[in-house]
């Protein structure tokens, strides 16, 4: 038996040569989820869209500072409130050799606004598209709309002849199960070409040598591998199989940054975490009694009673940014003057509660997901114990995001945690439109608990059509001031985005959490 | 005989209906995919429209009847996440799982049987004590811990083996195999060892106890009395009789492994059916979940039915009643 064992071990050693040295200038990175589909119109997954950006170019794009700049369109003008004219870049070629021109834009926009497109709403203002000449296109809008360029930054240009050849002119859709050739193949004009795609295993990209723009990276190829298990993803990085992981799990940050040859890059992301309130006449926790949350003093008391500094220091390990606003600084509509959290002050909170008629506090439900935001469950538990100090008994309910968000949508929760990144437009209007305005079918899609302030509804409607940027930002700020003064929501912090990478990699990090390998350098 | 078989078939159908119903009811508790599927900032109208396209706005009983009708027609539905027919999706992931299970089973038999014999022949020897206690660890440690430990040792510290994935694959007429490339074989080692560990322990212990039993039986003692060579007694007479239950258990275990390689596949990002299932739970991709549960139910019903029918052939006592 011993002999067998020896032979076996020897055999094992033969099968296992040392790992191959990593190829120069190939960026191998991993994330928890995979690309759902390479069809730009078949999904609304923001991670998927971020990977698409490697292969496709939009008409306008975000630069290194996340400001909008010309990409496949070189200039544009508003020739009527509902008609925008775009001049296209000449001499651009798709990966498979087709020349880019107005026909491609027309076909792409038509595919995008097809009722069957899964992400039709990402360009909801556009109702038509017309070719003017070979390199000029008009977009027809349903009315004046200020955020067209923001929306277009996420609309990726596809090739018309390619779509015709593969019968993919109509969009795929993950919800109706329509699949096209574009699901597993991609032909864009972007900095990298998609070489192969194996779902849940890997996507391989090669550099596009004929890219129209001057490359700001030195990569030859990129390999993306989704790894769902946090521990395995970290192990793959530390074992040298990967150059970068995004995100790195919070509990592994110290371990990775203490390992020689690796670094962790952390910054506050755009995602603001906040608490929302129940605005109906009664609380779910105390049926039959009037809802104390309807009193602004009660909401301010709850805000004063949350020790944001402790949450930032202990639970977020000092990596979050405490905020008093619903949007992060890079988002249009942000204002330092409004971004002032109510100070932690138990005495003040108690006084406010007493003024409101609740000197002994009250009972309320507090709900959180446990798998959506960083430390979401722990934050909820911490807040419940902080509120206990002013006599407010919060019944903490924690559940998985798959059941939590449907309940939130149905308005079944009293106080609930929600995160908002204002993506993809990166504009405060996103918050007005979805969170602050009354839920009436068009507006207030994520305001499911009865919040309704006529003044805010009016500001939202004005902002939705105001083309003058200064005036529009003024409207946004006015709405945010009301939200702050009335404590319509209780903002907590911007959660951090943390990536871990080998020292060989130099990759700028962006608050929108997009990985942009076209800005990466490798030694 | 035909009556017994048709009885079994009928029972199998009842079980399948129950599995379908349970699978379906469960989805009430995994949540609503609409929240995961809509973009940030979607309006209420947009959410409702999506819910309607998915058929989730209808009463639950209606949904069940429609679902059961489609399944009977051979249509398992379309994955919410991958926008592919679920049957196709399952078939494309099957090779990965089957290869993993095959390697794990061969490994556990090839090691489990000799080790079990060794322990039975010298039950009090030091070697067998060591093996016994070592395998106790194998059977009591959760799979994900074993997997992560192996990754830590062989991928992170020694850097001999890849921590995840299947390596490079070769396409053999639609079957993606990892057997034909070095990286494919290397990628297979850690996950299959992880998966085999439990089964190896089981087989080893089974062989050991059966073997001890058989060795004390009369015909073995007579064989010794006749002066037959030891290798013949152990290898031919004893081991053969020992292996009968091992074959049965291995058969059942293969079903078990195919269905429940979930943890191993998740830890090693092994793109098989188990990983498909875990990813579906988080989404939640209801058609995939339903199809997977049906598949697992079907697998076990089939295995049990075949075993039951075989028993009636082998054992005449089961036929009389």
């Amino acid at each position: 038996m011993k002999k067998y064992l020896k032979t076996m071990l020897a055999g094992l050693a033969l099968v296992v040569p040392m790992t191959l040295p990593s190829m120069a200038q190939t960026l191998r990175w991993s994330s928890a989820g995979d690309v759902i589909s390479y069809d730009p119109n078949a999904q609304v997954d923001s991670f998927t869209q971020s990977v698409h950006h490697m292969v496709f170019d939009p008409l306008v794009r975000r630069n290194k500072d996340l400001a909008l700049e010309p990409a496949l369109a070189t200039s544009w003008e508003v020739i009527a409130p509902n008609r925008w004219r775009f001049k296209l870049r000449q001499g651009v070629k798709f990966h498979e050799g087709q020349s880019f021109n107005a026909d491609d834009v027309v076909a792409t926009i038509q595919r995008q606004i097809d009722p069957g497109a899964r992400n039709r709403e990402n360009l909801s203002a556009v109702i038509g598209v017309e070719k003017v000449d070979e390199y000029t296109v008009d977009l027809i809008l349903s009315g004046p709309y200020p955020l067209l360029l923001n929306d277009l930054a996420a609309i990726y240009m596809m090739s018309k002849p390619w779509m015709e050849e593969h019968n993919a002119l109509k969009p795929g859709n993950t919800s109706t199960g329509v699949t096209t050739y574009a699901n597993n193949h991609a032909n864009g004009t972007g900095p990298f070409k998609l070489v192969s795609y194996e779902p849940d295993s890997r996507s391989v990209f090669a550099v596009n040598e004929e890219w129209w723009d001057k490359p700001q990276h030195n990569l030859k190829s990129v390999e993306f591998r989704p790894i769902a298990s946090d521990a395995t993803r970290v192990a793959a990085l530390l074992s040298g199989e990967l150059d970068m992981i995004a995100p790195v799990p919070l509990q592994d940050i110290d371990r990775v940054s203490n390992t020689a040859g690796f670094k962790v890059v952390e910054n506050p992301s755009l995602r603001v975490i906040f608490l929302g309130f129940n605005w109906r006449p009664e609380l779910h926790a105390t049926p039959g009694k009037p809802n104390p949350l309807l009193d602004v003093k009660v909401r301010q008391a709850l805000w004063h009673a949350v020790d944001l500094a402790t949450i930032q220091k202990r639970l977020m390990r000092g990596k979050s940014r405490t905020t008093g606003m619903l949007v992060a600084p890079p988002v249009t509509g942000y204002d330092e003057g409004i971004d002032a959290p109510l100070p932690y002050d138990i005495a003040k909170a108690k006084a406010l509660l007493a003024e409101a008629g609740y000197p002994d506090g009250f009972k309320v439900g507090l709900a959180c997901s446990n798998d959506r935001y960083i430390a979401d469950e722990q934050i909820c538990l911490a807040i419940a114990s902080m509120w206990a100090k002013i006599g407010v008994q919060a019944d903490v309910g924690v559940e998985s995001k798959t059941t939590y968000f449907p309940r939130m949508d149905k308005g079944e929760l009293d106080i609930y945690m929600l995160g908002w990144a204002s993506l993809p437009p990166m504009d405060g209007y996103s918050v007005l439109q979805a969170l602050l305005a009354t839920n009436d079918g068009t507006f207030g899609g994520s305001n499911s608990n009865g919040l309704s302030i006529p003044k805010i509804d009016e500001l939202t409607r004005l902002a939705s059509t105001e083309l003058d940027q200064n005036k529009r930002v003024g409207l946004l700020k006015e709405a945010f001031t009301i939200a702050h003064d009335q404590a319509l929501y209780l903002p907590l912090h911007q959660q951090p985005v943390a990536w871990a990478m080998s020292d060989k990699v130099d990759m700028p990090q962006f608050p929108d959490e997009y990985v942009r390998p076209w800005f990466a350098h490798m030694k | 005989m035909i009556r017994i078989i048709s009885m079994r078939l009928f029972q199998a159908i009842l079980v399948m209906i129950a599995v379908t119903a349970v699978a379906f009811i469960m989805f009430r508790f995994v949540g609503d995919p609409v929240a995961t599927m809509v973009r940030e900032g979607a309006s209420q109208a947009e959410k409702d429209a999506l819910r309607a396209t998915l058929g989730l706005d209808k009463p639950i009983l209606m949904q069940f009847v429609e679902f059961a009708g489609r399944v009977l027609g051979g249509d398992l539905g379309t994955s919410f996440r991958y926008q592919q027919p679920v049957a196709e999706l399952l078939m494309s992931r099957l090779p990965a799982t089957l290869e993993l299970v095959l390697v794990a089973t061969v490994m556990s038999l090839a090691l489990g049987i000799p080790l079990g014999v060794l322990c039975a022949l010298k039950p009090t020897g030091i070697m067998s004590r060591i093996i016994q206690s070592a395998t106790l660890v194998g059977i009591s440690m959760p799979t994900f811990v074993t997997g992560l430990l192996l990754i830590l040792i062989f991928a992170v510290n020694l850097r001999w083996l890849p921590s995840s994935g299947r390596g490079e694959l070769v396409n053999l007429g639609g079957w993606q195999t990892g057997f034909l490339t070095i990286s494919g074989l290397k990628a297979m080692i850690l996950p299959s060892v992880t998966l085999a560990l439990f089964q190896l322990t089981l087989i080893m212990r089974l062989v050991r106890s059966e073997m001890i039993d058989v060795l004390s039986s009369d015909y073995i003692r007579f064989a010794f009395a006749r002066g037959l060579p030891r290798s013949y007694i152990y290898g031919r007479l004893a081991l053969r009789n020992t292996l009968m239950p091992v074959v049965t258990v291995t058969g059942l275990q293969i079903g078990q492994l195919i269905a429940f390689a979930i943890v191993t596949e998740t830890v090693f990002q092994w793109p098989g059916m188990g990983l498909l299932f875990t990813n579906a739970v988080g989404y939640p991709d209801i058609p995939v979940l339903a199809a997977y549960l049906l598949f697992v139910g079907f697998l076990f019903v089939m295995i049990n039915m075949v075993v039951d029918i075989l028993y009636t052939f082998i054992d005449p006592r089961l036929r009389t009643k």
Side-chain angles (χ1 to χ4, degrees):
Chain A
M1 199 62 219
K2 263 189 210 155
K3 212 170 130 194
Y4 284 130
L5 269 173
K6 260 187 200 159
T7 344
M8 260 182 43
L9 282 176
L12 205 67
L14 275 180
V15 188
V16 189
M18 298 304 285
T19 33
L20 299 163
S22 63
M23 264 199 288
Q25 289 156 346
T26 293
L27 174 74
R28 299 158 305 165
W29 69 287
S30 172
S31 185
D34 195 11
V35 173
I36 289 173
S37 159
Y38 276 94
D39 188 333
N41 299 123
Q43 36 65 43
V44 289
D45 181 58
S46 71
F47 175 75
T48 297
Q49 285 161 9
S50 74
V51 177
H52 283 182
H53 208 331
M54 289 172 63
V55 182
F56 297 100
D57 285 310
L59 290 178
V60 293
R61 65 177 179 189
R62 301 268 172 195
N63 64 12
K64 239 175 166 172
D65 305 317
L66 296 186
L68 292 165
E69 67 173 13
L72 289 182
T74 49
S75 65
W76 47 85
E77 57 178 330
V78 186
I79 53 177
N82 67 340
R83 182 179 283 264
W84 290 51
R85 178 157 293 175
F86 290 85
K87 288 276 177 206
L88 304 181
R89 192 175 294 277
Q90 305 193 9
V92 175
K93 286 234 185 295
F94 283 95
H95 297 157
E96 295 181 12
Q98 302 90 337
S99 293
F100 169 75
N101 60 35
D103 291 327
D104 299 315
V105 178
V106 171
T108 301
I109 299 291
Q110 278 170 347
R111 195 177 198 267
Q112 170 70 40
I113 64 177
D114 188 289
R118 180 72 183 76
N119 66 346
R120 166 69 182 98
E121 297 297 323
N122 284 5
L123 197 61
S124 53
V126 174
I127 53 169
V129 54
E130 283 169 17
K131 174 179 172 178
V132 179
D133 61 42
E134 198 62 10
Y135 291 102
T136 312
V137 172
D138 278 358
L139 292 191
I140 321 295
L141 280 64
S142 53
Y145 178 66
L147 294 177
L148 183 63
L149 294 178
N150 301 50
D151 287 356
L152 284 175
I155 307 298
Y156 300 120
M157 291 300 134
M158 301 169 75
S159 158
K160 186 182 181 194
W162 184 81
M163 288 190 281
E164 280 173 342
E165 185 190 339
H166 298 292
N167 196 19
L169 277 170
K170 286 277 173 190
N173 188 325
T174 43
S175 60
T176 52
V178 177
T179 314
T180 71
Y181 182 80
N183 190 42
N184 298 315
H185 305 84
N187 178 30
T189 59
F192 295 93
K193 303 175 184 181
L194 177 67
V195 178
S196 68
Y197 168 49
E198 299 162 43
D200 279 346
S201 292
R202 74 186 72 218
S203 293
V204 180
F205 307 87
V207 69
N208 176 12
E209 304 280 6
E210 279 142 62
W211 193 33
W212 54 270
D213 198 6
K214 193 173 172 295
Q216 297 186 44
H217 64 85
N218 68 345
L219 306 179
K220 285 276 168 274
S221 57
V222 175
E223 194 181 321
F224 168 70
R225 284 174 50 190
I227 300 179
S229 154
D230 279 347
T232 311
R233 194 163 62 251
V234 174
L237 175 76
L238 296 180
S239 70
E241 290 164 62
L242 295 172
D243 304 307
M244 178 175 134
I245 56 176
V248 56
L250 215 56
Q251 69 271 14
D252 290 315
I253 287 179
D254 288 338
R255 192 171 132 228
V256 175
S257 51
N258 290 335
T259 309
F262 296 94
K263 60 185 172 190
V264 173
V265 183
E266 277 181 285
N267 285 299
S269 75
L270 289 186
R271 195 169 302 279
V272 174
I273 307 295
F274 52 87
L275 299 180
F277 298 112
N278 183 351
W279 294 85
R280 300 182 198 285
E282 295 170 8
L283 286 180
H284 298 292
T286 52
K289 288 191 201 162
N291 178 358
L293 298 176
L294 295 178
D295 190 328
V296 62
K297 286 181 181 145
V298 171
R299 297 193 300 272
Q300 284 170 339
L302 292 177
W303 198 342
H304 276 298
V306 175
D307 183 357
L308 293 169
T310 301
I311 293 180
Q312 199 262 356
K313 224 179 291 158
R314 295 281 153 74
L315 296 176
M316 306 307 287
R317 304 169 44 266
K319 299 298 182 187
S320 65
R321 181 183 169 278
T322 300
T323 172
M325 247 186 115
L326 294 172
V327 291
V331 174
T332 315
Y334 173 84
D335 188 312
E336 267 179 45
I338 312 172
D339 185 11
L342 298 192
Y344 177 54
D345 188 341
I346 293 279
K348 181 108 185 260
K350 276 187 175 159
L352 281 166
L353 273 188
E355 275 176 49
Y358 299 95
D360 304 321
F362 54 91
K363 246 181 94 159
V364 67
L366 173 63
C368 279
S369 57
N370 57 8
D371 50 3
R372 178 63 187 89
Y373 307 115
I374 296 173
D376 38 10
E377 180 176 359
Q378 291 90 319
I379 295 172
C380 245
L381 293 170
I383 290 177
S385 64
M386 290 167 186
W387 282 347
K389 290 185 191 155
I390 57 166
V392 172
Q393 301 168 41
D395 273 337
V396 179
V398 177
E399 57 193 315
S400 163
K401 62 184 177 193
T402 55
T403 49
Y404 172 76
F405 287 107
R407 286 186 62 202
M408 191 182 83
D409 260 357
K410 285 184 210 143
E412 290 175 9
L413 308 171
D414 283 337
I415 300 183
Y416 55 92
M417 181 185 279
L418 182 60
W420 205 261
S422 300
L423 286 173
M426 250 181 259
D427 190 282
Y429 175 68
S430 153
V431 172
L432 265 64
Q433 179 263 131
L435 293 169
L436 294 175
T438 308
N439 188 337
D440 62 357
T442 339
F443 289 113
S446 293
N447 166 17
S448 46
N449 240 344
L451 169 64
S452 179
I453 312 275
K455 179 67 186 163
I456 286 192
D457 290 352
E458 188 197 326
L459 290 168
T460 308
R461 253 181 291 277
L462 289 174
S464 73
T465 54
E466 180 57 64
L467 290 178
D468 182 307
Q469 182 71 352
N470 285 337
K471 274 195 204 157
R472 199 177 66 84
V473 172
L475 295 169
L476 299 183
K477 288 186 180 171
E478 198 181 337
F480 283 129
T481 308
I482 298 175
H484 180 272
D485 295 347
Q486 294 290 314
L488 300 183
Y489 286 91
L490 199 170
L492 299 172
H493 55 238
Q494 287 168 255
Q495 67 178 18
V497 43
W499 298 348
M501 56 191 95
S502 141
D503 281 340
K504 291 185 300 186
V505 182
D506 178 21
M507 168 86 86
Q509 193 173 42
F510 298 90
D512 63 354
E513 301 181 40
Y514 270 36
V515 174
R516 293 178 165 87
W518 55 94
F519 292 126
H521 279 267
M522 284 187 77
K523 277 173 214 148
Chain B
M1 185 55 117
I2 289 170
R3 223 186 47 143
I4 292 174
I5 292 177
S6 55
M7 252 323 252
R8 288 287 175 214
L9 275 174
F10 178 68
Q11 285 172 353
I13 291 169
L14 277 188
V15 170
M16 284 311 291
I17 293 176
V19 168
T20 318
V22 168
F24 201 79
I25 292 164
M26 239 183 61
F27 300 139
R28 291 296 98 189
F29 300 100
V30 295
D32 179 344
V34 170
T36 341
M37 292 175 83
V38 290
R39 67 197 179 97
E40 189 181 276
S43 67
Q44 194 61 45
E46 212 178 315
K47 290 181 192 176
D48 293 343
L50 179 61
R51 195 165 282 125
T53 34
L54 297 177
L56 292 169
D57 55 337
K58 294 177 191 148
I60 175 93
L61 203 67
M62 270 268 284
Q63 289 186 44
F64 178 63
V65 171
E66 280 181 12
F67 173 73
R70 278 203 311 271
V71 169
L72 281 181
D75 176 12
L76 290 173
T78 306
S79 158
F80 290 164
R81 179 163 179 250
Y82 296 96
Q83 65 161 33
Q84 277 179 42
V86 174
E88 228 172 73
L89 208 55
L90 282 179
M91 288 318 289
S92 71
R93 302 304 174 89
L94 196 61
T97 301
L98 286 185
E99 284 187 1
L100 185 63
V101 168
L102 180 74
V103 174
T105 307
V106 168
M107 206 181 274
S108 57
L109 286 176
L111 282 176
I113 294 175
L115 289 180
V117 171
L118 189 81
C119 291
L121 295 185
K122 293 219 174 80
T124 51
I126 291 186
M127 194 61 189
S128 61
R129 295 227 166 154
I130 293 175
I131 294 172
Q132 290 256 57
S133 25
T135 52
L136 197 66
V137 176
I139 208 162
S140 46
M141 201 143 71
T143 319
F144 71 93
V145 176
T146 328
L148 289 177
L149 264 180
L150 289 176
I151 290 177
L152 200 65
I153 297 169
F154 291 101
V156 178
N157 289 340
L158 296 174
R159 296 201 173 192
W160 287 356
L161 296 169
S163 59
S164 58
R166 280 187 84 189
E168 277 170 63
L169 304 177
V170 176
N171 195 337
L172 292 180
W175 181 287
Q176 300 270 5
T177 180
F179 283 128
L180 298 176
T181 60
I182 298 281
S183 72
L185 289 171
K186 277 170 68 179
M188 215 173 290
I189 296 173
L190 292 185
S192 53
V193 167
T194 309
L195 195 61
L197 213 57
F198 181 84
Q199 213 194 355
L200 185 151
T201 314
L202 191 75
I203 288 174
M204 193 220 94
R205 297 195 158 230
L206 195 68
V207 168
R208 176 182 163 274
S209 62
E210 286 288 325
M211 189 84 173
I212 288 174
D213 241 24
V214 171
L215 285 180
S216 62
S217 63
D218 290 342
Y219 75 98
I220 296 290
R221 269 189 265 162
F222 277 115
F224 275 117
R226 278 176 65 195
L228 292 173
R230 270 167 188 268
S231 59
Y232 180 79
I233 297 176
Y234 292 145
R236 294 296 296 272
L237 299 178
L239 188 60
R240 271 187 153 191
N241 279 294
T242 308
L243 286 186
M244 292 306 283
V246 174
V247 171
T248 318
V249 167
T250 309
L252 286 175
Q253 279 291 113
I254 287 179
Q256 193 90 348
L257 287 184
I258 294 175
F260 302 117
I262 296 175
V263 177
T264 311
E265 289 191 1
T266 309
V267 169
F268 290 97
Q269 188 74 20
W270 188 264
M273 291 193 304
L275 186 65
L276 186 69
F277 180 76
T278 18
N279 287 343
V281 171
Y283 195 69
D285 196 342
I286 292 175
V288 169
L289 294 176
Y292 186 78
L293 287 178
L294 281 180
F295 171 78
V296 169
F298 182 72
L299 194 72
F300 277 89
V301 165
M302 285 309 284
I303 289 174
N304 279 307
M305 199 172 72
V306 169
V307 168
D308 280 355
I309 293 173
L310 279 182
Y311 280 166
T312 55
F313 275 108
I314 295 163
D315 194 338
R317 285 170 301 179
L318 291 172
R319 258 177 270 165
T320 47
K321 210 179 160 195

